[in-house]
């Protein structure tokens, strides 16, 4: 309803009505409405109206909300108006052209000839808008940019000198009442010209050279006492930074920014900090000079300024000033708003990592961050920190002592508690024996240590991840502590029935470790080796047993039911494979190998890598399958697939079937391969082969054959049949060539 | 470019609003409310430039009135600050007293000064020239 009213008003002859109509259209309609199509005609008529004000109105509306169709239709009119002598119209037409170009970039060429004369105007309004038009054209199209930079055919002057001339006139001319704003003539125009110069001069030596003088002039002559002058200077500085200016000019620019920083006006300081942030990459040394001022800005009340100052400070930290800067930044971390704390903490970690003068300082700094802003620290900081601690071997005693003291008082900050529990678990013996050199050693008994870990476990404030850390730490201490093993056993068994699944699982495993595999406990819970930082996660599909070349006779038991998270598998994978660091190591593998004579404790193989099974995607490449064994009613077929991701891996799926009248139970398949191969056996589908070929057991074997040798395999089968245990050895030689070539 | 131009009083009511980039009507109120909240909560000592979502706000306070302009990164913040001042001066000259009774005139003035997000004219006299013509036509 309203739209029609608008139209009616626009179409009327009276100026005031038109006025209201256009206003309404501009305010409330947008190009998505259909009615504007109807408006097109009206606008067209009005553009040719005799009264300039009507024309101006039409231009205005078109400029604001014209859709691309409207623009296409009316571009011709606009262009005509661009050439008129009426300056009122020209300036509006210029901005309208800007809008047209934005909507329909192809029409840019149409406006090109008109722009030639635009800069010869005296009228500042026209000048201003034409500069805007030129800016828009240059931004949109690199061709235009090149065109404007070169010498133009007819007119004698290039664009840049023209602009420079205009700018010079503006600065040099005396007081001009028309355009004056607080003593500076037409600052808006100056700013615009500067911006256009910036675009023209970017990456272009010639243009930049032409501009150097004028920029220096503007920079030195402009009065800085008022905001206006500062606005111009700001724009000048930005321009100097962007074009290929000579170094003297750049230093001048940075000095201006430095002066801004000392100014009392917040706006100016903000602007200065922003620009310094942009330039710090390129002109690092010059910005360093203003470091102390920047650091002072950290204490400012204003949030935007503080944020800028913080970012800039991080950019300025280097080997020389790191101690001083860190002090300031840590102080800032204490007192700043929560929204900054996470960023600040990460920044401090990064800077400390790069420039730490000594390990002890590094650890101290990190501890300070953890204690002050512990809950805001990002999650990945914990593994990084742990890796750092492991690597600084000589600091272990000192670190663990400090961490212990820290959580004695307060164990609510999760990252701190996690790191502390981990360290206590690893280095608890150092703590108890009081060996610290750097600091006054404290006397701690084993019971006290266990007390604190237990309270972490019990506390409501601890997240379940933290509890996991604590439990693992307690477990590790069982090998390091001598007198309190029973207590540890008790704690572990309590958590065997915890509600938290993760915790329960760990407790159950640790219990198992105590009961059945006590002999292996020390080996498993040994100290962590120094970890290398590898950032990418190795592929989970192919598992390479590091450095194992003996024939690995692997036997796998069926996986225990229920809780077997893939993460556990990955943890051990990581330990031996050296990929991503997770500090939840070492955990006990869930199935134990029954030694079949001298095999290595292949932890990797033991992990029924159920995760791997699902992760592997196999391509059947049409390799013929073979019957590997066929005796006494037991038939084993091999089907082959080559892995898509690794051409030296062959995946063999065996299928065992039973043609006798009785089931075969406790079926176990073992395989051995020559030295040049590596073998991996995944868990079978079951251990019973039903009679009468009514079902099969499937199992997957992966063979890594990097040297592409002829595949050979020796297999051993054990099973119970008709009440007696049967065992057989066989050799498989009939592998098809496609399976290993 | 300038994204929007708002005039708000101290109680948080929008007196004038002009959008140079299309925003849905219902979103406008939300946007205005948030912007106003940000500006009103600032004290006098704080910086006049606020970062808000993906653009910046430049605001200036004149007695009971706040003028807020939203700009994107390409604009020089201080120039916009000046523009606000310029605008207010023009209004002063024309209206001499209370602005609020002639909202359409204010729009006209704004249109003369800013077209589609870009500054057109900053010369006070030239801005007011068409207005005087309009007034004469209206009277006759």
């Amino acid at each position: 309803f309203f739209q029609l009213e608008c139209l009616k008003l626009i179409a009327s002859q009276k100026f005031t009505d038109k006025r209201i109509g256009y206003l309404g259209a501009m305010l409330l309609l947008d190009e998505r409405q259909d009615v504007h199509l109807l408006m097109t005609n009206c606008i067209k008529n009005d553009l040719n109206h005799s009264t300039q004000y009507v024309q101006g109105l039409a231009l205005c509306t078109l400029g604001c909300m014209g859709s691309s169709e409207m623009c296409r239709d009316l571009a011709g009119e606009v262009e005509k108006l661009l050439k008129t002598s009426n300056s009122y119209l020209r300036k509006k037409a210029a901005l309208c052209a800007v809008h047209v170009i934005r909507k329909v970039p192809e029409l840019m060429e149409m406006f090109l000839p008109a722009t030639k004369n635009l800069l010869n105007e005296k009228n500042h309004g026209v000048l201003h808008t034409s500069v805007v038009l030129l800016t828009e054209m240059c931004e949109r199209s690199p061709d235009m940019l090149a065109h404007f930079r070169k010498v133009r055919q007819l007119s004698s002057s290039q664009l840049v000198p023209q602009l420079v001339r205009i700018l010079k006139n503006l600065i040099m001319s005396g007081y001009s009442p028309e355009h004056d704003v607080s003593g500076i003539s037409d600052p808006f125009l100056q700013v615009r010209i500067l911006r256009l110069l910036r675009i023209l001069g970017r990456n272009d030596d010639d243009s930049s050279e032409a501009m150097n003088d004028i920029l220096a002039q503007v920079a030195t002559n402009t009065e800085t006492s008022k905001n206006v002058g500062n606005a111009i200077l700001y724009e000048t500085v930005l321009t100097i930074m962007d074009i290929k200016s000579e170094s003297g000019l750049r230093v001048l620019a940075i000095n201006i920014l430095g002066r801004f920083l000392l100014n009392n006006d917040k706006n100016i300081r903000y602007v200065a900090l922003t620009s310094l942030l942009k330039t710090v990459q390129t002109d690092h040394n010059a910005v360093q000079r203003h470091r102390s001022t920047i650091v002072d800005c950290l204490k400012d009340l204003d949030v935007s300024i503080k944020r800028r100052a913080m970012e800039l400070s991080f950019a300025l930290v280097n080997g020389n000033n790191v101690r001083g800067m860190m002090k300031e930044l840590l102080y800032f971390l204490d007192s700043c708003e929560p929204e900054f704390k996470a960023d600040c903490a990460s920044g401090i970690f990064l800077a400390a990592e790069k420039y730490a003068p000594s390990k002890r300082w590094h650890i101290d700094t990190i501890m300070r961050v953890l204690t002050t802003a512990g809950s805001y620290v990002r999650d990945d900081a914990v593994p990084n920190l742990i890796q750092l601690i492991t690597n600084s071997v000589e600091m272990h005693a000192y670190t663990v002592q400090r961490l212990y003291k820290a959580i004695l008082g307060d164990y609510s900050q999760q990252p701190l508690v996690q790191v502390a529990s981990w360290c206590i678990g690893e280095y608890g013996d150092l703590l108890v024996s009081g060996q610290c050199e750097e600091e006054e050693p404290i006397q701690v008994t084993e019971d006290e240590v266990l007390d604190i870990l237990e309270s972490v476990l019990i506390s409501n404030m601890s997240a379940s991840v933290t509890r996991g850390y604590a439990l693992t730490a307690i477990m590790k201490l069982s090998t390091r502590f001598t007198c309190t093993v029973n207590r540890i056993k008790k704690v572990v068994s309590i958590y065997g029935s915890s509600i938290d699944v993760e915790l329960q699982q760990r407790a159950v495993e640790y219990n198992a470790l105590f009961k059945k595999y006590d002999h292996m406990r020390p080996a498993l819970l040994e100290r962590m080796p120094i970890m290398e930082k590898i950032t990418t996660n190795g592929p989970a599909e192919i598992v390479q047993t590091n450095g194992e070349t003996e024939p690995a006779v692997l036997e796998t038991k069926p996986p225990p039911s229920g809780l077997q998270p893939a993460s556990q598998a990955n943890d051990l994978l990581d330990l031996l494979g050296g990929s991503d660091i997770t500090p939840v190591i070492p955990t006990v593998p869930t199935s134990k190998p029954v030694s079949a004579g001298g095999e290595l404790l292949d932890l990797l193989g033991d992990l029924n890598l159920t995760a791997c099974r699902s992760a592997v995607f196999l391509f059947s490449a049409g390799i013929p399958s073979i019957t590997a064994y066929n005796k006494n009613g037991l038939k084993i077929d091999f089907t082959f697939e080559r892995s898509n991701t690794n051409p030296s891996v062959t995946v063999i799926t065996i299928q065992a079937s039973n043609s006798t009248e009785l089931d075969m139970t406790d079926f176990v398949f073992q395989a051995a391969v020559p030295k040049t191969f590596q073998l991996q056996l995944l868990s079978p589908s079951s251990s019973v082969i039903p009679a009468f070929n009514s079902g099969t057991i499937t199992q997957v074997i992966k063979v890594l054959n990097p040297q592409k040798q002829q595949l050979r395999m020796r297999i051993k089968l054990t099973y119970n049949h008709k009440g007696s245990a049967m065992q057989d050895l066989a050799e498989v030689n009939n592998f098809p060539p496609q399976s290993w070539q | 470019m300038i994204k929007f131009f708002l005039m708000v009083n101290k109680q948080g009511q929008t007196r004038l609003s002009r959008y140079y980039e299309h925003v849905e009507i219902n979103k406008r109120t939300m946007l205005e409310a948030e912007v106003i909240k940000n500006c009103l909560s600032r004290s006098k000592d704080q910086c006049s430039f606020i970062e808000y979502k993906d653009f910046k706000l430049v605001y200036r306070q004149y007695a009971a009135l706040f003028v807020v302009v939203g700009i994107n990164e390409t604009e020089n913040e201080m120039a916009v600050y000046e523009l606000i001042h310029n605008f207010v001066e023009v209004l002063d000259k024309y209206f001499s007293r209370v602005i609020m009774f002639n909202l359409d005139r204010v729009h006209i003035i704004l249109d003369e000064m800013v077209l589609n997000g870009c500054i057109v004219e900053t010369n006070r006299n030239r801005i007011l020239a068409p207005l005087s013509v309009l007034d004469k036509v209206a009277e006759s």
Side-chain angles (χ1 to χ4, degrees):
Chain A
F1 141 77
F2 151 75
Q3 301 159 0
L4 291 175
E5 283 296 316
C6 249
L7 263 187
K8 256 198 323 185
L9 283 174
I10 296 178
S12 99
Q13 285 305 316
K14 282 182 61 179
F15 182 63
T16 44
D17 288 348
K18 271 195 199 290
R19 187 68 194 107
I20 307 279
Y22 274 123
L23 184 62
M26 265 195 287
L27 278 184
L28 296 164
L29 293 179
D30 71 273
E31 57 197 43
R32 279 169 271 198
Q33 308 275 354
D34 298 323
V35 70
H36 70 264
L37 286 172
L38 302 168
M39 273 173 53
T40 313
N41 211 14
C42 289
I43 294 188
K44 187 159 186 180
N45 289 337
D46 287 334
L47 280 177
N48 293 326
H49 206 267
S50 46
T51 323
Q52 61 171 345
Y53 296 112
V54 175
Q55 286 174 303
L57 267 187
L59 278 173
C60 198
T61 313
L62 181 60
C64 270
M65 50 154 291
S67 68
S68 23
E69 291 90 30
M70 283 170 87
C71 289
R72 255 184 249 271
D73 290 337
L74 300 169
E77 313 283 331
V78 174
E79 202 232 337
K80 219 173 26 159
L81 285 173
L82 204 52
K83 295 191 190 146
T84 69
S85 49
N86 184 332
S87 47
Y88 176 77
L89 285 179
R90 274 181 106 179
K91 68 182 185 201
K92 291 205 186 241
L95 277 183
C96 200
V98 169
H99 181 89
V100 168
I101 292 178
R102 276 196 199 140
K103 287 279 168 193
V104 190
E106 298 91 39
L107 293 176
M108 224 189 309
E109 268 91 52
M110 193 169 28
F111 294 110
L112 189 51
T115 61
K116 283 211 185 97
N117 293 324
L118 276 179
L119 287 182
N120 293 329
E121 267 286 328
K122 289 248 172 33
N123 182 319
H124 279 213
V126 182
L127 271 182
H128 191 112
T129 54
S130 33
V131 171
V132 173
L133 178 58
L134 288 170
T135 316
E136 185 74 24
M137 286 169 119
C138 290
E139 272 174 5
R140 292 265 152 175
S141 137
D143 295 330
M144 286 287 179
L145 192 54
H147 172 96
F148 282 125
R149 278 185 188 146
K150 286 187 321 219
V151 181
R152 288 194 282 179
Q153 324 89 311
L154 292 177
S155 74
S156 53
S157 51
Q158 287 181 13
L159 186 57
V160 172
Q162 249 188 333
L163 288 172
V164 168
R165 209 173 10 106
I166 298 175
L167 196 50
K168 207 180 241 190
N169 284 339
L170 279 178
I171 308 174
M172 291 311 183
S173 65
Y175 181 69
S176 142
E178 282 200 343
H179 305 291
D180 180 79
V181 179
S182 324
I184 302 188
S185 29
D186 208 346
F188 297 102
L189 185 55
Q190 289 192 35
V191 164
R192 275 280 165 201
I193 294 184
L194 283 167
R195 194 171 308 160
L196 183 53
L197 284 176
R198 181 157 85 228
I199 298 179
L200 288 173
R202 203 177 279 166
N203 290 334
D204 185 71
D205 293 323
D206 295 329
S207 321
S208 312
E209 242 183 77
M211 290 180 222
N212 275 333
D213 285 336
I214 191 67
L215 287 174
Q217 225 179 355
V218 173
T220 39
N221 282 349
T222 318
E223 224 185 80
T224 59
S225 54
K226 299 268 181 58
N227 187 42
V228 192
N230 288 328
I232 298 183
L233 279 177
Y234 175 45
E235 193 73 30
T236 317
V237 166
L238 285 178
T239 307
I240 294 179
M241 286 302 137
D242 250 353
I243 65 175
K244 297 225 159 135
S245 50
E246 51 185 25
S247 58
L249 207 49
R250 295 183 98 96
V251 171
L252 179 61
I254 297 201
N255 286 342
I256 294 180
L257 287 178
R259 265 209 323 262
F260 275 1
L261 274 181
L262 297 168
N263 198 308
N264 281 330
D265 186 357
K266 300 292 162 107
N267 299 336
I268 298 180
R269 270 205 255 177
Y270 172 82
V271 151
L273 284 173
T274 317
S275 336
L276 280 174
L277 199 54
K278 283 189 219 156
T279 62
V280 76
Q281 304 302 330
T282 43
D283 290 286
H284 197 93
N285 294 329
V287 182
Q288 282 282 359
R289 248 178 270 146
H290 302 284
R291 188 166 48 86
S292 46
T293 339
I294 295 175
V295 167
D296 278 336
C297 286
L298 277 175
K299 306 195 185 95
D300 199 286
L301 289 170
D302 182 282
V303 169
S304 328
I305 291 188
K306 270 205 268 204
R307 179 171 279 283
R308 287 275 184 278
M310 179 179 84
E311 286 167 10
L312 202 48
S313 310
F314 281 131
L316 284 178
V317 172
N318 66 16
N320 295 331
N321 58 25
V322 69
R323 278 191 201 260
M325 292 289 277
M326 269 311 163
K327 234 184 344 177
E328 294 286 336
L329 286 168
L330 283 170
Y331 180 68
F332 175 65
L333 183 64
D334 270 336
S335 54
C336 70
E337 283 89 352
E339 62 219 23
F340 287 144
K341 288 204 181 182
D343 289 330
C344 194
S346 319
I348 291 184
F349 280 146
L350 272 171
E353 207 173 298
K354 274 198 263 179
Y355 301 113
S358 76
K359 286 232 162 96
R360 174 172 168 174
W361 180 91
H362 193 171
I363 291 185
D364 278 342
T365 313
I366 297 187
M367 291 232 17
R368 178 93 188 267
V369 174
L370 282 179
T371 38
T372 41
S375 14
Y376 299 100
V377 164
R378 293 222 173 94
D379 295 333
D380 57 352
V382 174
N384 287 344
L385 180 55
I386 288 182
Q387 188 229 347
L388 174 69
I389 294 179
T390 343
N391 286 344
S392 44
V393 173
E394 66 279 4
M395 303 293 306
H396 283 169
Y398 170 71
T399 316
V400 70
Q401 190 168 298
R402 283 211 58 189
L403 283 170
Y404 175 74
K405 279 197 273 191
I407 63 168
L408 256 187
D410 157 39
Y411 43 84
S412 62
Q413 309 217 50
Q414 298 303 304
L416 179 62
V417 177
Q418 287 169 12
V419 176
S421 332
W422 191 88
C423 280
I424 294 179
E426 280 287 314
Y427 310 121
D429 47 340
L430 291 176
L431 181 62
V432 171
S433 64
Q435 272 176 19
C436 179
E437 301 120 14
E438 310 259 351
E439 257 193 4
E440 195 62 37
I442 56 176
Q443 299 302 326
V444 184
T445 65
E446 297 179 1
D447 274 314
E448 284 172 355
V449 175
L450 285 175
D451 277 339
I452 189 77
L453 284 175
E454 266 187 74
S455 29
V456 168
L457 268 177
I458 299 174
S459 149
N460 286 336
M461 292 188 278
S462 308
S464 59
V465 177
T466 318
R467 291 213 181 101
Y469 273 87
L471 192 57
T472 310
I474 292 184
M475 189 60 198
K476 287 193 221 170
L477 288 175
S478 70
T479 44
R480 315 221 198 300
F481 284 177
T482 41
C483 10
T484 42
V485 182
N486 286 329
R487 181 172 170 191
I488 293 179
K489 269 198 212 169
K490 228 179 10 153
V491 172
V492 168
S493 52
I494 292 178
Y495 280 92
S497 42
S498 140
I499 296 180
D500 184 344
V501 173
E502 171 83 14
L503 221 48
Q504 182 188 53
Q505 180 184 355
R506 288 182 196 217
V508 164
E509 287 161 11
Y510 295 155
N511 258 333
L513 200 53
F514 269 126
K515 298 206 180 89
K516 288 197 269 175
Y517 302 108
D518 211 25
H519 55 282
M520 287 203 276
R521 206 164 28 94
L524 282 167
L525 298 175
E526 245 182 21
R527 278 244 212 285
M528 283 292 298
I530 296 186
M531 297 184 242
E532 269 176 38
K533 198 172 195 162
I534 303 180
T535 45
T536 54
N537 215 337
E541 300 142 295
I542 314 295
V543 174
Q544 300 211 347
T545 57
N546 283 349
E548 294 201 19
T549 48
E550 283 100 305
V553 179
L554 305 173
E555 181 186 288
T556 56
K557 280 211 194 131
S561 58
L563 335 155
Q564 171 121 12
S567 61
Q568 289 239 286
N570 281 334
D571 289 348
L572 269 172
L573 253 181
D574 300 339
L575 171 59
L576 291 174
S579 45
D580 225 313
I581 304 160
T582 45
V584 193
I585 340 171
T587 50
V588 178
T590 48
S591 63
K592 288 284 162 271
V594 172
S595 48
E599 98 292 13
L600 300 162
L601 181 65
D602 187 346
L603 287 169
L604 283 170
D606 287 343
L607 302 173
N608 301 313
L609 294 153
T610 45
C612 290
R613 225 197 274 149
S614 51
V616 169
F617 44 85
L618 306 171
F619 259 49
S620 93
I623 309 172
S625 52
I626 59 169
T627 303
Y629 177 90
N630 194 350
K631 237 189 325 183
N632 296 334
L634 174 62
K635 186 163 90 127
I636 299 190
D637 291 313
F638 283 7
T639 39
F640 301 97
E641 280 152 33
R642 300 298 287 266
S643 161
N644 201 24
T645 48
N646 188 343
S648 16
V649 169
T650 311
V651 183
I652 307 176
T653 310
I654 68 158
Q655 288 196 302
S657 52
N658 172 8
S659 54
T660 65
E661 321 88 64
L662 282 181
D663 296 343
M664 296 175 180
T665 55
D666 295 319
F667 178 80
V668 177
F669 177 89
Q670 284 171 279
V673 285
K675 274 197 184 147
T676 47
F677 297 87
Q678 285 172 16
L679 189 71
Q680 186 197 345
L681 217 57
L682 303 184
S683 48
S685 55
S686 82
S687 61
V688 174
I689 316 181
F692 297 116
N693 288 330
S694 48
T696 59
I697 292 183
T698 26
Q699 193 166 5
V700 176
I701 310 172
K702 284 198 232 171
V703 180
L704 180 69
N705 185 3
Q707 294 176 21
K708 302 241 189 257
Q709 291 190 347
Q710 159 100 32
L711 190 54
R712 284 178 358 244
M713 193 186 279
R714 192 171 288 166
I715 61 177
K716 178 169 165 189
L717 311 158
T718 44
Y719 55 95
N720 283 340
H721 188 232
K722 293 181 186 163
S724 50
M726 310 272 289
Q727 188 178 288
D728 203 0
L729 277 171
E731 200 165 312
V732 185
N733 283 326
N734 48 343
F735 287 98
Q738 302 97 312
S739 62
W740 48 267
Q741 262 170 356
Chain B
M1 68 175 255
I2 300 181
K3 302 273 177 174
F4 57 82
F5 194 102
L6 295 175
M7 280 171 66
V8 183
N9 72 359
K10 252 198 169 156
Q11 282 85 37
Q13 294 169 319
T14 314
R15 290 285 165 204
L16 177 131
S17 76
R18 197 67 202 286
Y19 287 85
Y20 293 105
E21 197 191 42
H22 183 73
V23 178
E24 296 288 326
I25 305 259
N26 42 1
K27 288 214 191 95
R28 283 187 198 182
T29 31
M30 261 184 3
L31 178 69
E32 279 161 32
E34 272 192 50
V35 163
I36 293 164
K37 206 171 40 149
N38 272 333
C39 294
L40 287 179
S41 56
R42 312 271 285 183
S43 76
K44 208 147 167 267
D45 291 333
Q46 289 181 310
C47 187
S48 292
F49 311 133
I50 312 175
E51 273 163 45
Y52 172 76
K53 286 198 195 151
D54 53 348
F55 44 77
K56 288 194 212 140
L57 300 171
V58 182
Y59 73 93
R60 217 165 162 164
Q61 184 181 8
Y62 293 93
L65 196 65
F66 277 88
V67 181
V68 184
V69 179
I71 56 175
N72 70 359
E73 314 80 51
T74 53
E75 286 283 336
N76 182 337
E77 298 97 337
M78 306 187 74
V80 175
Y81 195 70
E82 281 306 312
L83 173 72
I84 298 180
H85 193 70
N86 203 7
F87 177 67
V88 172
E89 274 178 11
V90 171
L91 286 183
D92 246 347
K93 182 153 181 215
Y94 182 71
F95 287 114
S96 66
R97 278 302 126 172
V98 188
I99 333 175
M100 288 312 135
F101 297 140
N102 279 310
L103 211 50
D104 60 329
R105 300 293 161 86
V106 181
H107 270 284
I108 298 177
I109 295 181
L110 187 54
D111 277 339
E112 291 288 324
M113 289 185 76
V114 182
L115 188 78
N116 196 25
C118 305
I119 305 176
V120 180
E121 178 67 66
T122 52
N123 181 305
R124 224 171 300 161
N125 296 323
R126 267 184 269 178
I127 294 175
L128 295 176
L131 268 177
S132 39
V133 173
L134 182 61
D135 288 342
K136 268 192 245 148
V137 171
E139 280 161 33
S140 63

